[in-house]
Amino acid sequence: MESPQPNQTVHRARPAIERWLRIAIAAWIALAIAGSVKSIVEPRLHTVYTTFSGASRDSWSGHSLYLEREFFYSPAFAVAMTPLALLPDWLGGVVWTWLSCGLLFFALRVFYRTVLPASTWPPRAEGQFQLLALLGTVRSIWSGQSNAILVAMVLCAAVEFVRGRWWRAAIWLAAPIHIKVWPAVVGGLFTVQAPQRLARRLAACTVGLGLLPFLVQPPAAAASQYVGWYRCLVNRQAGGGRYTGYRDAWTIWEQFHAVDARAYMLWQVGAGLAVLGWCLWQRHRGLQRRQIAIYTICAWSIWQLLLGPGTERLTYNLIAPGLAWGVLTCFYTCGPRRLLRRMWITAAYLTTYLLGVGGVERFLMQWCPAATALEPIGVLIFGLWLVRHASSEEPWPLAEIPRPFAEATPARSHGQAA
């Protein structure tokens, strides 16, 4: 074989993308294209994006964000949407769709390679993880919701938490709070895992991002927007109304008996304290940050979907990364009673993301009105699996934190169980 000349460049072949990952990439692109076509054809129909863009324009014109529209997001989020609000709604909707798909795909990929035990799974597992998460996200992206970007931010925060980059983790945890407030719960759960490193940083980032409206508006106008936001959220909670799209523990409870609002609030608080204690127990066990990160995200998403405020069908993409991890864990990790665990996690996934789909739900309701509770029941099944799994699982093997897009480590023989 001839050796290369000194002035010649040796090109190394790039590793081929695994087949399942190629399928996942194609599926994400197809979703983005379909959402773009929908935005072009029907820019104002069945989408929340126009609420965001309209509120952003109102913030610049000096109008209240909360009097004439159902806008429950922070004034900072309205200002952050300015670049898209400058575009026509059809074009802004296209950019919003691609941004949602692209950021979530990136976050899922980095999360998979940094946080999850990918080195013990076969190469095909990454594409399967993407597809499982995608199936749980389609409805949120199709309707122009902000939940896809919110989940991506939480996953990026988990990655930075594992890497020990505390300021970056704090920024990623603070940003979702200005979108929907209730991500403050996951910020708090991560903070109790590393209070000395995250508490002050998260508080500083939350306040810093909240000052964004004061940079573009007179202080009195910006302050009045925050007062309006506070009153809007309080009035929404005090109203006690139940939208037909709500799917939570209340939905399960009302199948058996009339729900007492005060008792339900006690359940919310009690379950929140239980989740906090459970997460602190994981820290006390001395687990790696990778395990703590996935357990924290799963526990938060379970509480939020079952007992958090305003949980509706489009919120169910929160649990998609956790459910995808659970499915891969049961199918690629050896352990006793493997078949039972696979049936358990499969039931959780299918109940949440197949039987709870609108068309399937309406079909099942013809024979069983309680079918409206299938989605929260799926989350409840996953919660029981998570507690059982975490109590019996040993700490993960020590591993170097890989670069986000480094070539995947070949799977070990004991991790390739079918």
Side-chain angles (χ1 to χ4, degrees):
M1 179 180 295
E2 296 182 1
S3 60
Q5 298 298 322
N7 60 346
Q8 291 180 335
T9 302
V10 178
H11 297 280
R12 295 183 179 179
R14 294 183 179 180
I17 301 178
E18 203 277 331
R19 180 171 62 92
W20 278 96
L21 184 56
R22 291 200 303 270
I23 295 174
I25 293 173
W28 277 107
I29 293 175
L31 176 59
I33 293 174
S36 300
V37 172
K38 172 180 173 291
S39 180
I40 294 171
V41 175
E42 300 174 339
R44 297 179 178 275
L45 189 62
H46 302 302
T47 180
V48 188
Y49 168 75
T50 52
T51 301
F52 304 151
S53 60
S56 181
R57 298 182 188 113
D58 285 346
S59 69
W60 284 97
S61 62
H63 298 154
S64 173
L65 301 175
Y66 307 100
L67 291 180
E68 299 181 359
R69 65 177 71 246
E70 288 191 348
F71 185 74
F72 304 108
Y73 311 83
S74 81
F77 179 65
V79 174
M81 290 295 295
T82 298
L84 296 184
L86 295 174
L87 303 173
D89 277 339
W90 70 267
L91 181 55
V94 171
V95 176
W96 179 252
T97 299
W98 281 91
L99 179 64
S100 300
C101 291
L103 182 58
L104 184 54
F105 172 83
F106 170 82
L108 286 168
R109 192 171 189 198
V110 178
F111 180 80
Y112 176 87
R113 297 194 168 199
T114 304
V115 178
L116 301 185
S119 63
T120 64
W121 294 341
R124 64 180 179 273
E126 182 176 1
Q128 293 168 347
F129 176 76
Q130 287 278 355
L131 288 171
L132 288 168
L134 170 63
L135 290 175
T137 307
V138 169
R139 285 188 294 179
S140 178
I141 292 178
W142 186 255
S143 63
Q145 278 274 355
S146 60
N147 292 331
I149 289 179
L150 188 153
V151 170
M153 290 178 174
V154 173
L155 295 180
C156 289
V159 170
E160 303 302 346
F161 172 85
V162 169
R163 293 177 176 275
R165 297 172 178 172
W166 305 110
W167 276 110
R168 295 185 185 183
I171 292 173
W172 284 119
L173 289 172
I177 296 174
H178 288 282
I179 299 179
K180 288 201 170 181
V181 181
W182 43 255
V185 175
V186 71
L189 292 177
F190 271 109
T191 298
V192 299
Q193 305 292 359
Q196 295 182 346
R197 295 183 174 95
L198 269 180
R200 288 176 293 180
R201 290 178 172 88
L202 179 57
C205 291
T206 303
V207 173
L209 292 175
L211 294 176
L212 185 59
F214 291 89
L215 301 178
V216 298
Q217 296 175 340
S224 67
Q225 297 285 24
Y226 273 103
V227 172
W229 183 38
Y230 171 77
R231 290 175 177 172
C232 173
L233 296 178
V234 170
N235 292 337
R236 189 185 190 190
Q237 290 299 114
R242 290 281 298 177
Y243 293 104
T244 56
Y246 279 174
R247 295 293 184 271
D248 49 17
W250 185 300
T251 312
I252 301 175
W253 191 340
E254 67 183 358
Q255 305 303 321
F256 304 96
H257 198 275
V259 182
D260 184 284
R262 290 176 296 180
Y264 187 77
M265 183 177 296
L266 291 177
W267 271 101
Q268 289 177 302
V269 175
L273 293 175
V275 167
L276 174 62
W278 188 81
C279 290
L280 287 174
W281 176 58
Q282 305 309 319
R283 179 190 177 198
H284 177 73
R285 293 173 61 193
L287 302 180
Q288 292 185 57
R289 287 181 193 161
R290 296 187 300 154
Q291 280 177 288
I292 290 176
I294 184 62
Y295 288 163
T296 299
I297 288 177
C298 288
W300 161 67
S301 58
I302 290 168
W303 178 87
Q304 176 59 45
L305 293 179
L306 288 179
L307 293 160
T311 297
E312 53 184 328
R313 290 172 175 171
L314 299 179
T315 317
Y316 271 73
N317 71 310
L318 296 187
I319 207 169
L323 266 174
W325 160 74
V327 171
L328 295 180
T329 296
C330 290
F331 277 81
Y332 289 130
T333 301
C334 295
R337 309 182 72 179
R338 186 186 310 167
L339 179 59
L340 178 60
R341 296 186 181 191
R342 290 178 180 179
M343 293 174 60
W344 194 337
I345 199 65
T346 301
Y349 187 90
L350 293 181
T351 305
T352 304
Y353 288 132
L354 179 61
L355 299 181
V357 174
V360 179
E361 180 188 270
R362 288 190 295 271
F363 175 77
L364 295 176
M365 285 179 61
Q366 297 177 11
W367 291 276
C368 179
T372 55
L374 284 171
E375 283 178 300
I377 287 174
V379 174
L380 182 61
I381 295 172
F382 178 61
L384 296 173
W385 175 88
L386 178 68
V387 172
R388 178 67 179 87
H389 174 77
S391 64
S392 61
E393 187 186 32
E394 296 295 328
W396 292 349
L398 292 174
E400 294 183 1
I401 303 301
R403 291 178 297 160
F405 296 104
E407 184 178 358
T409 305
R412 301 175 186 175
S413 58
H414 68 272
Q416 299 185 11

